[in-house]
Amino acid sequence: MSTLPRFPPVPASGDAESAHWAQSLGDGAPGIALAHIVRARAGLDGWEPVHRLAAAMTRSPLNAHPDTASLYQGAPAVAYALHTADHPAYDTALATLDDAIATVIRSRLEAAHRRIDHGQLPHAGEYDLINGLTGLGALLLHRDRESALLREVLMYLVRLTRPIRVDGHALPGWWATGSPDRRASARWNAGHAGFGMAHGIAGPLALLAITKRQGITVAGHIDALHNVIAWLDQWRRGQRRAGWWPEVIDHDELRTGSAARPGPPRPSWCYGSPGIARAEHLAALALGDQQRASNAVESLVGCLTDGHQLAQLTDAGLCHGWAGLLLTAHRAAVDTGTCELSAAVSAAEARGQRYLRGHGEPTREGFLEGLTGVTLTAAALEITSDSALPGWDRCLLIS
């Protein structure tokens, strides 16, 4: 994916009136700042654009409410961007944010453990990457890998991976109440299980795997990895390059053991097989399971080379478009040095470039669905050294 001609601009102050925009990693100032941070840290630009965005982030009171603050919204999102900057101008603000975020995390952990103790099912936002404790754990790992609070998040995730009994029936501990898309439907009356990186169990698996690889473990850590891997094995459809997972299943599918979807969904980072395969790949590397790691790589190669899957990509962005697929597979290729996967990434990148030429660059500026994520991905695909760019993509849990 070649470097785009237009770099994400810093919006004028009048465009940044929304507190949501100012504190949104996904589509607002913190996410857009990541691209300017990368340029500033590489010496390609000054810090003034970053400082302007930081001012926009902190102009209004920061959201640190336990019900709504998350890695992608509020104080944690701002802290993620400012920490990535690694600039002394933000040290005081980060110290203040650390205290507020710790209070948020402790409150959410207390509520989650209380819910488990009472034998109740979670909502996906309790544990997922975008809204939940997995995302907050990713922030702690990014900010301070020695944090005791990070270990508390990991201990919660270990509990999450254990079965829970509801009305005499055993369900996965992450079986979520309600609808996965927030729209009422009788299909979801008995809940659902999401598989993907953004809102499903792949996110917790990736965080558990990444921390294990870094030597950060808690009691039950290995069992938790195996529990989730066994679930993915159960629901994997097809083998090797034809392997894929459903995005989500309902209770009837759980009961029958059969996914209703006849074939693979779009190959996206957020819900699709690329994110799931990368999470399993990380877990396999953490456990030293080379055969499983090889199988995960084969799944990624399949996502990159199957024309039927690629035809389902209808945007360029990180979340559910070309950039997310390419960056996820690229991080796996760098991690393993697999020539076959690298070649598949290169071929898919050429196809992604054709998509951009035919459809134009994104009209949005944001990180997950806009120009920022596409531009950062284009830069990452040209660099193989982990130290060449700051860890801007740790919020995606693919590296």
Side-chain angles (χ1 to χ4, degrees):
M1 188 168 279
S2 60
T3 304
L4 295 177
R6 187 168 69 90
F7 193 75
V10 178
S13 59
D15 298 330
E17 296 176 355
S18 164
H20 173 87
W21 179 91
Q23 300 175 33
S24 172
L25 183 61
D27 58 12
I32 294 170
L34 294 177
H36 293 276
I37 288 166
V38 167
R39 286 183 63 83
R41 288 186 58 175
L44 300 174
D45 201 352
W47 283 95
E48 192 272 338
V50 180
H51 295 331
R52 285 172 57 195
L53 284 162
M57 294 179 219
T58 55
R59 186 170 292 123
S60 300
L62 293 179
N63 174 18
H65 194 288
D67 291 345
T68 54
S70 68
L71 172 60
Y72 278 81
Q73 181 61 43
V78 173
Y80 182 87
L82 297 185
H83 177 76
T84 304
D86 193 24
H87 192 289
Y90 307 130
D91 288 349
T92 300
L94 280 167
T96 302
L97 286 170
D98 285 343
D99 292 338
I101 293 166
T103 299
V104 169
I105 294 173
R106 290 191 182 98
S107 176
R108 295 188 69 163
L109 284 171
E110 289 172 6
H113 284 299
R114 185 165 57 249
R115 188 267 308 164
I116 295 173
D117 290 342
H118 290 165
Q120 298 171 340
L121 293 171
H123 55 87
E126 175 191 290
Y127 60 79
D128 72 14
L129 172 59
I130 299 294
N131 300 304
L133 280 160
T134 293
L136 293 169
L139 171 62
L140 292 172
L141 181 62
H142 185 52
R143 177 91 177 108
D144 178 13
R145 64 187 303 276
E146 302 299 329
S147 165
L149 196 53
L150 171 59
R151 294 179 182 275
E152 291 184 38
V153 171
L154 296 176
M155 287 188 282
Y156 153 73
L157 292 179
V158 168
R159 289 195 79 187
L160 180 77
T161 65
R162 294 170 181 158
I164 187 169
R165 295 195 69 82
V166 177
D167 297 330
H169 300 285
L171 293 170
W174 59 90
W175 188 266
T177 60
S179 165
D181 57 11
R182 301 179 186 176
R183 290 181 289 189
S185 168
R187 178 186 177 187
W188 310 113
N189 286 348
H192 70 276
F195 288 78
M197 187 71 85
H199 297 292
I201 195 56
L205 178 63
L207 182 59
L208 287 164
I210 291 168
T211 51
K212 170 65 171 64
R213 295 185 74 198
Q214 295 187 19
I216 306 168
T217 59
V218 297
H221 206 123
I222 303 301
D223 287 343
L225 290 169
H226 283 296
N227 287 344
V228 180
I229 286 172
W231 170 263
L232 295 182
D233 283 347
Q234 177 184 348
W235 287 96
R236 180 187 176 105
R237 298 297 178 255
Q239 298 298 321
R240 298 179 66 81
R241 295 187 183 184
W244 60 277
W245 291 268
E247 295 181 338
V248 62
I249 59 168
D250 61 29
H251 197 272
D252 285 342
E253 290 168 298
L254 177 69
R255 178 178 52 80
T256 62
S258 177
R261 186 180 181 94
R266 66 182 172 187
S268 63
W269 163 80
C270 55
Y271 288 97
S273 294
I276 300 167
R278 176 54 172 160
E280 184 172 50
H281 184 233
L282 289 164
L285 295 175
L287 295 169
D289 186 341
Q290 295 305 314
Q291 183 57 58
R292 184 174 297 280
S294 177
N295 292 343
V297 166
E298 286 284 328
S299 295
L300 285 167
V301 171
C303 293
L304 293 161
T305 57
D306 180 3
H308 294 291
Q309 291 189 58
L310 295 176
Q312 297 181 66
L313 294 176
T314 57
D315 72 81
L318 271 176
C319 191
H320 40 253
W322 280 98
L325 167 62
L326 292 170
L327 184 66
T328 300
H330 173 69
R331 292 302 188 216
V334 171
D335 223 4
T336 60
T338 305
C339 295
E340 191 175 23
L341 180 55
S342 296
V345 171
S346 296
E349 182 183 359
R351 184 162 178 166
Q353 290 173 4
R354 292 195 295 274
Y355 177 90
L356 277 175
R357 287 195 295 270
H359 294 80
E361 63 189 32
T363 56
R364 299 181 181 182
E365 307 293 348
F367 175 67
L368 282 182
E369 298 184 13
L371 184 61
T372 297
V374 177
T375 300
L376 284 167
T377 297
L381 291 175
E382 297 174 359
I383 298 172
T384 57
S385 170
D386 289 338
S387 61
L389 293 173
W392 62 268
D393 63 344
R394 290 174 187 161
C395 57
L396 303 175
L397 286 181
I398 55 177
S399 62

